């Protein structure tokens, strides 16, 4: 959840800064590992071209650390973090952020709670003071909680009317069961209505702790300046948070689960067990997925389901590497009378992919795209800070940026065939259909 509040002059200043943040070649990024006097570790990329610093903080566990019976607490807490802190109520906090031309963002997912901060060098100390209040001393005023609670309840109500959200919810339910991954991080109407102010303080301490934390900074700041700043900003957070949930054991039994929804077209999600980034075969799987379904109009699924048969406007497959479960998923939408044929074609293509046979052209095209697109991700200080944080969450070394494309280029046809036979299982490919499909058994 990102809030942006700038007066016109401040917006112009920040817009100018963002516009002149040049894309850095991936291989030109020099990552320094900094440890603060208080022991807080961070990755830093110095860039003194402009007087601006992007800070990115992530806490492992995210919404999966909700306490039993308190589903939605960490989401509600995150959304209320900057609704007043210390001596400032919600409006006063917003005015202070605006006056500093600072920008704070708070967001939570299944695996991490993420905080981004963008600040001018001349206002950095005051911006850090303000952000510290939100992280260490939030108010969680009852009026703010009720206002944000109503927003969350509106999202839950909207999700129940959206076929994509209904499909995602059913997919989570049948795949992960009682694991935290098995339900929406928003919580239910009942759980959200039952959350108290004390629950939000407890939720904060469960997830926002120093043992869960990784930090990245990019911009106009030196290691000597960053260390004390981190101690000031984060040193008073609890040393230890809640224990991580156990690994999930995603269940894929094959077949089709249908959820009735009155619509002329159906939304379809499909999936099976997958593979994680730390697996030695990950890059071979990554290249194979590019060929099968991630390659846009050049992928097999797009070619067979859309181009040749006109069964959908778009279809994609993707590897989902969550901290506690690895899956290989896909999705598309199709007219109710065409869903059965589309699913049949997807099954055929999955069967073909499981043989691992790819052409020389498919392999080279996939590698060319994946290596060519990678440097384009490094398109600004804030984006780079987010990438560095993601790398730390995945226990990667700083050298990953330099070696990633080499790993893609090293993938051979034998590698692809090995991982396909090892991972892909067409019999277990499981479908969730939301709509009123015709002809499905």
């Amino acid at each position: 959840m990102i809030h942006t509040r700038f007066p016109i002059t401040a917006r112009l200043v920040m817009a100018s800064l963002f516009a002149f943040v040049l894309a850095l070649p991936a291989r030109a990024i020099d990552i320094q590992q900094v440890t603060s006097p208080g022991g807080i570790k961070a990755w830093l990329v110095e860039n003194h071209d402009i007087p601006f610093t992007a800070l990115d903080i992530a806490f492992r566990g995210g919404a999966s650390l909700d306490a039993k019976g308190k589903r939605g607490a960490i989401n509600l807490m995150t959304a209320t973090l900057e609704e007043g802190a210390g001596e400032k109520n919600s409006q006063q906090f917003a005015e202070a952020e605006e006056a500093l031309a600072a920008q704070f963002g708070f967001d939570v997912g299944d695996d991490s709670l993420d905080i981004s901060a963008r600040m001018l060098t001349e206002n950095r100390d005051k911006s850090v003071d303000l952000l510290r209040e939100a992280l260490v001393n939030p108010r969680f005023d009852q009026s703010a909680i009720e206002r944000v609670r109503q927003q969350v309840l509106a999202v839950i109500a909207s999700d129940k009317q959206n076929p994509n959200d209904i499909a995602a919810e059913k997919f989570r339910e049948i795949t992960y069961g009682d694991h935290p991954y098995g339900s929406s991080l928003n919580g239910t109407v009942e759980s959200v209505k039952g959350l108290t102010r004390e629950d939000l303080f407890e939720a904060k301490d469960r997830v926002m702790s120093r043992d869960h934390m990784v930090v990245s900074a990019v911009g106009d700041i030196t290691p000597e300046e960053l260390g004390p700043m981190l101690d000031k900003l984060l040193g008073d957070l609890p040393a230890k948070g809640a224990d991580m949930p156990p690994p999930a054991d995603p269940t894929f039994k094959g077949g089709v689960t249908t959820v009735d929804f009155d619509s002329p077209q159906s939304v379809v999600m499909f999936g099976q067990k997958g593979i994680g980034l730390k697996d030695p075969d990950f890059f071979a799987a990554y290249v194979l997925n590019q060929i099968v379904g991630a390659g846009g109009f050049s992928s097999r699924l797009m070619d067979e389901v859309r181009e040749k048969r006109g069964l959908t406007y778009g279809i994609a497959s993707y590897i989902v590497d969550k901290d506690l479960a690895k899956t290989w998923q896909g999705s598309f939408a199709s007219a109710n009378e065409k869903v059965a044929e589309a699913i049949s074609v997807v099954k055929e293509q999955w069967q073909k992919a499981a043989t691992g046979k790819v052409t020389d052209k498919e392999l080279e095209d996939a590698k060319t795209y994946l290596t060519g697109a990678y440097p384009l991700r490094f398109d600004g200080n804030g984006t780079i800070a987010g990438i560095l944080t993601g790398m730390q969450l995945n226990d990667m070394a700083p050298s990953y940026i330099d070696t990633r494309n080499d790993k893609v280029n090293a993938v051979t046809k034998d590698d692809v065939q090995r991982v396909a036979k090892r991972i892909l299982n067409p019999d277990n490919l499981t479908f969730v259909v939301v709509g009123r499909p015709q002809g499905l058994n």
Side-chain angles (χ1 to χ4, degrees):
M1 184 170 295
I2 296 176
H3 305 278
T4 306
R5 307 183 186 96
F6 297 128
I8 293 176
T9 51
R11 281 200 299 268
L12 291 174
V13 170
M14 295 298 281
S16 298
L17 290 176
F18 290 137
F20 286 99
V21 173
L22 301 179
L24 296 175
R27 289 182 182 273
I29 293 175
D30 179 20
I31 300 173
Q32 303 178 66
Q33 298 188 65
V34 176
T35 301
S36 75
I40 296 174
K41 296 181 178 179
W43 285 9
L44 166 65
V45 174
E46 289 187 68
N47 179 5
H48 300 285
D49 292 345
I50 55 173
F52 163 76
T53 299
L55 188 67
D56 210 85
I57 307 160
F59 297 92
R60 297 179 194 275
S64 296
L65 292 176
D66 271 333
K68 188 175 182 180
K70 302 294 182 183
R71 193 59 168 152
I74 290 176
N75 177 60
L76 182 62
M77 180 275 296
T78 304
T80 315
L81 268 177
E82 67 172 340
E83 296 292 335
E87 296 181 353
K88 294 181 174 60
N89 62 26
S90 178
Q91 181 175 348
Q92 291 166 334
F93 187 94
E95 289 172 351
E97 185 180 347
E98 187 174 277
L100 292 168
Q103 181 180 346
F104 304 147
F106 302 82
D107 196 14
V108 68
D110 280 343
D111 289 330
S112 67
L113 189 160
D114 302 291
I115 297 166
S116 61
R118 314 287 182 254
M119 56 190 80
L120 302 173
T121 300
E122 65 180 276
N123 293 338
R124 189 169 64 213
D125 289 345
K126 291 181 179 178
S127 299
V128 167
D129 288 342
L130 185 64
L131 180 59
R132 179 189 178 280
E133 288 295 280
L135 303 186
V136 176
N137 195 23
R139 291 164 62 109
F140 296 142
D141 290 336
Q142 197 62 44
S143 59
I145 293 173
E146 295 309 322
R147 182 171 62 255
V148 178
R149 191 198 311 269
Q150 293 308 311
Q151 295 169 359
V152 174
L153 291 172
V155 170
I156 294 173
S158 175
D159 287 351
K160 292 184 180 301
Q161 303 301 316
N162 185 313
N164 292 294
D165 292 318
I166 295 170
E169 183 70 13
K170 176 57 68 174
F171 193 87
R172 282 193 293 265
E173 177 187 322
I174 66 174
T175 302
Y176 300 113
D178 293 334
H179 193 274
Y181 287 171
S183 61
S184 168
L185 60 80
N186 289 321
T188 65
V189 171
E190 293 73 21
S191 69
V192 172
K193 284 185 175 179
L195 294 172
T196 66
R197 182 170 182 261
E198 288 69 30
D199 290 332
L200 268 59
F201 282 108
E202 183 183 7
K204 176 182 174 302
D205 288 343
R206 290 180 66 83
V207 63
M208 292 177 62
S209 58
R210 282 179 280 141
D211 63 329
H212 291 170
M213 184 173 69
V214 300
V215 184
S216 302
V218 179
D220 184 30
I221 188 167
T222 66
E224 293 74 23
E225 293 168 329
L226 179 61
M229 188 188 89
L230 294 177
D231 286 343
K232 180 180 180 182
L233 177 63
L234 305 166
D236 288 334
L237 289 174
K240 188 177 187 314
D243 293 336
M244 294 293 168
D249 184 17
T251 299
F252 295 99
K253 298 180 178 178
V256 179
T257 299
T258 301
V259 180
D260 182 67
F261 186 81
D262 186 8
S263 171
Q265 72 171 15
S266 297
V267 169
V268 182
M269 290 187 66
F270 56 94
Q272 64 144 83
K273 287 189 177 181
I275 185 171
L277 185 60
K278 295 175 184 174
D279 192 293
D281 280 333
F282 175 80
F283 282 97
Y286 192 41
V287 171
L288 175 59
N289 183 64
Q290 179 68 22
I291 294 169
V292 174
F297 283 93
S298 64
S299 76
R300 292 179 181 177
L301 286 175
M302 187 71 91
D303 186 49
E304 295 291 336
V305 182
R306 172 184 160 132
E307 296 301 308
K308 292 182 179 177
R309 297 173 177 83
L311 301 175
T312 183
Y313 287 112
I315 182 169
S317 65
Y318 29 88
I319 294 172
V320 182
D321 181 14
K322 298 172 78 72
D323 286 354
L324 302 171
K326 318 300 177 188
T327 59
W328 203 326
Q329 297 178 202
S331 61
F332 65 93
S334 184
N336 286 333
E337 63 272 19
K338 297 181 178 179
V339 170
E341 182 183 357
I343 288 177
S344 177
V345 176
V346 171
K347 288 180 176 178
E348 291 173 5
Q349 289 305 310
W350 215 255
Q351 189 77 51
K352 179 181 176 183
T355 68
K357 294 179 180 178
V358 299
T359 66
D360 291 337
K361 185 176 187 307
E362 283 181 322
L363 182 64
E364 291 310 312
D365 285 351
K367 293 196 290 189
T368 298
Y369 176 82
L370 292 174
T371 55
Y374 187 59
L376 302 179
R377 299 181 188 179
F378 298 82
D379 63 350
N381 288 0
T383 304
I384 294 171
I387 291 172
L388 300 188
T389 300
M391 290 172 61
Q392 293 181 77
L393 288 172
N394 283 289
D395 299 320
M396 295 176 175
S399 60
Y400 174 83
I401 293 174
D402 296 329
T403 61
R404 183 265 193 194
N405 276 359
D406 294 336
K407 293 174 181 176
V408 173
N409 281 325
V411 172
T412 67
K413 291 171 73 174
D414 288 343
D415 294 332
V416 171
Q417 192 162 52
R418 180 182 66 253
V419 73
K421 290 182 176 179
R422 178 188 153 207
I423 303 295
L424 294 185
N425 188 337
D427 292 338
N428 287 351
L429 193 61
T430 301
F431 293 80
V432 168
V433 180
V434 177
R436 291 184 173 171
Q438 300 172 16
L440 274 179
N441 297 320

